[in-house]
C-alpha cells in the first residue's frame, strides 16, 4: 500500500456561528496542501443523523482527519464543533495516538463506516457537559479539567457493563463499531460546508474537539504530559486488560510477547509491573528488540533470524512460557503463540487482523495439554483506566520511553505512512495542542 503524502484541508475559520445563520449554499472549497491531490469522493453514505434540530449551545468550527475510502490519503476538513448529549463530554483534544487499528481501517482491512474521523486514544481538556448530564459526572470532570479517554467507551448500563465487563459493552459494539455512531444511533460530527454527517471511530479523536461518553474517561493528573499520556487510552489500556484479565499474570510467571509495537511494548512494561520473571520479546526488527530491552524484556528473539518457538522453549528449559501474547494479528504469529506456551499455559490474542483471517491450532495438543486460547480486545474503562493512569503517575509505567515518534496535526497522514512502513519503533502520537 502506498499512502500519498497528501493532506487536504479547509481554510481555518475563526468566527462563531449560530444555527439560524447556517447556509447550505455556503461551501468553502477544499484546497491541497501539496500538489497532486486527488479529487473529492462523491459517494454519499446513508446519513447516521441530521444536523436539523441539533442542539448547539455555542458555535464554532474545528478541523478533523477524515477517512473516505481505503488506501487514499487522510483529508483535513472543517466541522462544526460537536455538541455532547446527556452524560457525554466535549473535549478539546490535546493529543491522539497513532494505532494499527486505525491503519487497518485506512487500508480497508477492517470494514468501517465512511466517511469517518479516525483516532481513538486521546488526552484533552473538558469544555462542555451534555444537557441533563448526571451531577456526579460533572463533579468528577469539571470544565477545564484534564482527561484521558479509552477507546472502548462503555455505556455503563448494558448487561455486560452492569457486571463490570466494560470491554464487552453491547452499545459500543452495536453502535460505534458496527455503525460509527454514539449510542443514540447518531454521530456528533457534521461538516461545516454542507452539514453532512461524518461517522466516528470511537470518539473520532484525530480532531481538535471530540465528544465521548463520560464512562470512557479518567482524570489526568497535572504531573502527566498530554502528549505521551494519549497512549494510556489504547496501547497501555489494551496491554493492561490483556495482562490483568486474560493472562492473569502472577509474580514469577514467564511470558513471551510476539510483536513489539505500541501494544506489544506496553505489554512488556505491564508484565514487569505485575512481577513476571522471564519476559521474552519477539519481533523481526532489531531496533524494536533493542527498545524492548529498556521496557522490561529479559530476552529478545528475532524471528527473522531464528525459530521463535524453539528459542522460547530453549530460554524456558524446554517447557515453554506460562503466557504467550500475540500482538500482531497474523496467522503465522497466532500459531507461534499457541506453540510457545507450556502445558496448561495461556495463549492470549490481542492483535487485530484483516477481516476473514483464520488462525490454525493443533487440536490434539489443545485438548491433551489443556492449552487455553483467549481473546482480549481491551481493558475495562471504569475500573482499569484509573489504574493505568496511576501506573504512569507513579513512574512504574514509563510513558516517555514508550513514545518514540511525535507529529503535528497537519502531518497525521505521514504518521500513518510511517506506521505502515514500520518506522515507528514503539508508539507515535499526533499533537493537537
Amino acid at each position: 500500500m502506498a499512502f500519498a503524502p497528501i493532506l487536504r484541508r479547509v481554510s481555518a475559520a475563526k468566527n462563531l456561528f449560530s444555527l439560524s445563520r447556517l447556509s447550505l449554499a455556503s461551501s468553502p472549497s477544499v484546497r491541497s496542501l501539496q500538489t497532486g491531490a486527488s479529487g473529492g469522493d462523491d459517494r454519499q453514505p446513508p446519513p447516521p443523523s441530521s444536523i436539523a434540530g441539533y442542539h448547539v449551545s455555542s458555535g464554532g468550527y474545528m478541523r478533523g482527519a477524515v477517512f473516505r475510502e481505503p488506501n487514499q490519503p487522510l483529508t483535513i476538513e472543517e466541522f462544526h464543533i460537536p455538541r455532547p448529549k446527556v452524560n457525554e463530554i466535549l473535549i478539546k483534544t490535546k493529543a491522539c495516538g497513532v494505532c494499527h487499528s486505525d491503519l487497518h481501517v485506512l487500508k480497508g482491512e477492517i470494514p468501517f463506516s465512511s466517511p469517518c474521523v479516525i483516532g481513538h486514544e486521546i488526552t484533552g481538556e473538558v469544555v462542555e457537559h451534555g444537557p441533563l448530564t448526571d451531577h456526579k459526572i460533572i463533579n468528577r470532570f469539571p470544565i477545564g479539567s484534564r482527561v484521558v479517554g479509552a477507546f472502548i467507551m462503555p455505556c455503563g448500563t448494558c448487561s455486560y457493563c452492569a457486571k463490570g465487563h466494560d470491554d464487552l459493552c453491547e452499545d459500543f459494539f452495536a453502535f460505534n463499531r458496527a455503525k460509527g455512531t454514539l449510542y443514540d444511533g447518531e454521530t456528533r460530527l457534521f461538516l461545516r460546508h454542507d452539514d453532512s454527517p461524518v461517522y466516528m471511530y470511537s470518539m473520532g479523536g484525530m480532531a481538535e474537539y471530540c465528544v465521548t461518553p463520560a464512562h470512557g474517561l479518567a482524570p489526568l493528573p497535572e504531573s502527566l504530559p498530554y502528549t505521551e499520556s494519549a497512549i494510556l487510552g489504547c496501547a497501555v489500556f489494551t496491554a493492561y486488560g490483556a495482562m490483568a484479565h486474560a493472562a492473569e499474570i502472577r509474580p514469577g510467571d514467564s511470558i513471551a510477547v510476539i510483536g513489539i509495537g505500541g501494544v506489544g511494548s506496553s505489554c512488556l512494561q505491564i508484565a514487569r509491573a505485575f512481577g513476571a520473571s522471564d519476559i521474552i520479546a519477539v519481533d523481526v526488527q532489531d531496533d524494536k528488540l533493542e527498545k524492548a530491552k529498556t521496557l522490561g524484556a529479559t530476552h529478545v528473539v528475532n524471528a527473522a533470524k531464528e525459530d521463535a518457538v524453539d528459542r522460547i522453549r530453549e530460554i524456558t528449559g524446554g517447557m515453554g512460557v506460562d503466557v504467550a501474547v500475540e500482538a500482531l494479528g497474523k496467522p503465522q504469529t497466532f500459531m507461534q503463540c499457541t506453540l510457545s506456551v507450556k502445558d496448561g499455559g495461556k495463549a492470549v490474542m490481542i492483535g487485530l487482523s484483516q477481516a476473514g483471517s483464520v488462525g490454525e491450532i493443533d487440536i490434539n495438543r489443545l485438548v491433551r495439554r489443556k492449552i487455553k486460547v483467549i481473546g482480549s480486545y481491551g481493558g475495562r474503562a471504569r475500573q482499569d483506566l484509573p489504574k493505568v493512569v496511576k501506573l504512569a503517575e507513579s513512574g512504574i509505567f514509563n510513558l516517555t520511553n514508550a513514545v518514540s515518534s511525535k507529529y503535528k496535526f497537519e502531518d497525521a497522514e505521514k504518521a500513518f505512512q510511517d506506521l505502515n512502513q514500520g518506522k515507528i519503533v514503539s508508539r507515535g502520537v499526533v499533537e493537537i495542542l
Side-chain angles (χ1 to χ4, degrees):
M1 160 198 156
F3 279 122
I6 303 167
L7 287 175
R8 293 175 292 177
R9 57 185 291 195
V10 181
S11 58
K14 304 297 183 182
N15 296 329
L16 298 179
F17 78 98
S18 66
L19 282 178
S20 62
R21 291 186 291 181
L22 282 175
S23 171
L24 294 179
S26 174
S27 57
S29 61
V30 178
R31 62 183 177 85
S32 170
L33 287 179
Q34 300 184 25
T35 60
S38 58
D41 187 350
D42 295 330
R43 294 178 307 151
Q44 295 297 324
S49 59
S50 170
I51 198 171
Y54 193 64
H55 173 74
V56 177
S57 60
S58 61
Y61 308 109
M62 70 164 194
R63 298 176 300 162
V66 180
F67 159 75
R68 290 191 172 274
E69 58 182 286
N71 299 313
Q72 294 299 311
L74 289 172
T75 57
I76 302 294
E77 303 183 31
E78 279 197 333
F79 293 80
H80 301 295
I81 290 181
R83 297 271 71 87
K85 296 187 180 182
V86 60
N87 294 333
E88 296 173 356
I89 293 179
L90 174 65
I91 297 167
K92 174 69 178 74
T93 315
K94 298 294 186 178
C96 182
V98 180
C99 180
H100 263 101
S101 296
D102 293 303
L103 186 61
H104 282 306
V105 172
L106 297 179
K107 295 170 71 173
E109 294 174 346
I110 293 180
F112 194 79
S113 302
S114 64
C116 74
V117 171
I118 59 165
H120 59 270
E121 54 178 9
I122 59 113
T123 54
E125 178 183 329
V126 173
V127 174
E128 182 181 353
H129 306 102
L132 304 178
T133 290
D134 188 284
H135 69 91
K136 292 180 181 178
I137 291 174
I138 295 174
N139 290 338
R140 188 181 186 210
F141 303 112
I143 301 298
S145 60
R146 307 167 88 248
V147 292
V148 58
F151 79 95
I152 298 178
M153 311 170 297
C155 69
T157 57
C158 71
S159 62
Y160 288 109
C161 286
K163 298 174 184 177
H165 295 289
D166 294 5
D167 51 328
L168 293 174
C169 174
E170 295 175 22
D171 282 355
F172 173 75
F173 288 102
F175 288 97
N176 189 263
R177 282 302 181 263
K179 300 178 181 179
T181 69
L182 292 186
Y183 307 150
D184 59 353
E186 297 184 346
T187 184
R188 304 294 182 263
L189 296 175
F190 299 92
L191 289 173
R192 179 192 176 190
H193 74 277
D194 65 359
D195 302 333
S196 61
V198 173
Y199 297 95
M200 308 163 67
Y201 191 68
S202 289
M203 72 289 291
M206 198 69 75
E208 292 173 323
Y209 290 84
C210 64
V211 168
T212 185
H215 291 310
L217 297 172
L220 183 69
E222 292 284 347
S223 60
L224 293 179
Y226 276 124
T227 298
E228 288 80 1
S229 297
I231 72 169
L232 295 174
C234 178
V236 188
F237 179 70
T238 300
Y240 186 92
M243 297 297 100
H245 306 304
E248 298 177 310
I249 291 289
R250 298 290 183 265
D253 280 352
S254 57
I255 181 172
V257 179
I258 303 172
I260 310 301
V263 176
S265 60
S266 295
C267 285
L268 300 176
Q269 290 209 61
I270 299 296
R272 179 176 62 181
F274 281 16
S277 55
D278 291 328
I279 303 176
I280 306 169
V282 181
D283 205 280
V284 295
Q285 292 184 218
D286 286 330
D287 55 349
K288 292 188 176 185
L289 293 173
E290 285 301 312
K291 183 76 170 181
K293 294 176 183 178
T294 71
L295 299 172
T298 58
H299 303 80
V300 297
V301 177
N302 188 321
K305 300 177 180 179
E306 56 185 328
D307 186 285
V309 176
D310 288 347
R311 181 64 181 131
I312 289 170
R313 291 193 173 276
E314 181 183 341
I315 292 170
T316 56
M319 297 289 290
V321 289
D322 294 294
V323 174
V325 177
E326 198 285 338
L328 193 59
K330 302 288 185 182
Q332 179 185 359
T333 48
F334 180 98
M335 179 175 287
Q336 287 175 338
C337 184
T338 62
L339 293 175
S340 297
V341 298
K342 64 170 57 173
D343 293 356
K346 297 178 182 177
V348 179
M349 308 300 171
I350 61 178
L352 290 179
S353 184
Q354 182 170 348
S357 295
V358 176
E360 295 183 354
I361 190 168
D362 183 330
I363 295 176
N364 287 340
R365 180 170 181 268
L366 174 76
V367 173
R368 290 171 173 169
R369 304 303 178 89
K370 296 180 64 175
I371 306 299
K372 304 174 185 68
V373 180
I374 308 167
S376 180
Y377 189 45
R380 300 168 182 174
R382 289 176 296 175
Q383 56 182 286
D384 292 342
L385 192 57
K387 295 175 184 177
V388 166
V389 172
K390 283 291 185 184
L391 286 175
E393 186 180 22
S394 66
I396 294 174
F397 189 96
N398 188 327
L399 277 176
T400 302
N401 210 15
V403 175
S404 59
S405 304
K406 299 177 184 179
Y407 301 86
K408 295 179 180 178
F409 180 50
E410 292 78 9
D411 295 328
E413 168 67 16
K414 183 181 186 304
F416 284 102
Q417 288 182 46
D418 288 351
L419 181 64
N420 187 54
Q421 295 167 9
K423 294 180 179 179
I424 298 178
V425 175
S426 48
R427 197 61 149 190
V429 177
V430 173
E431 296 180 307
I432 320 177
L433 300 174

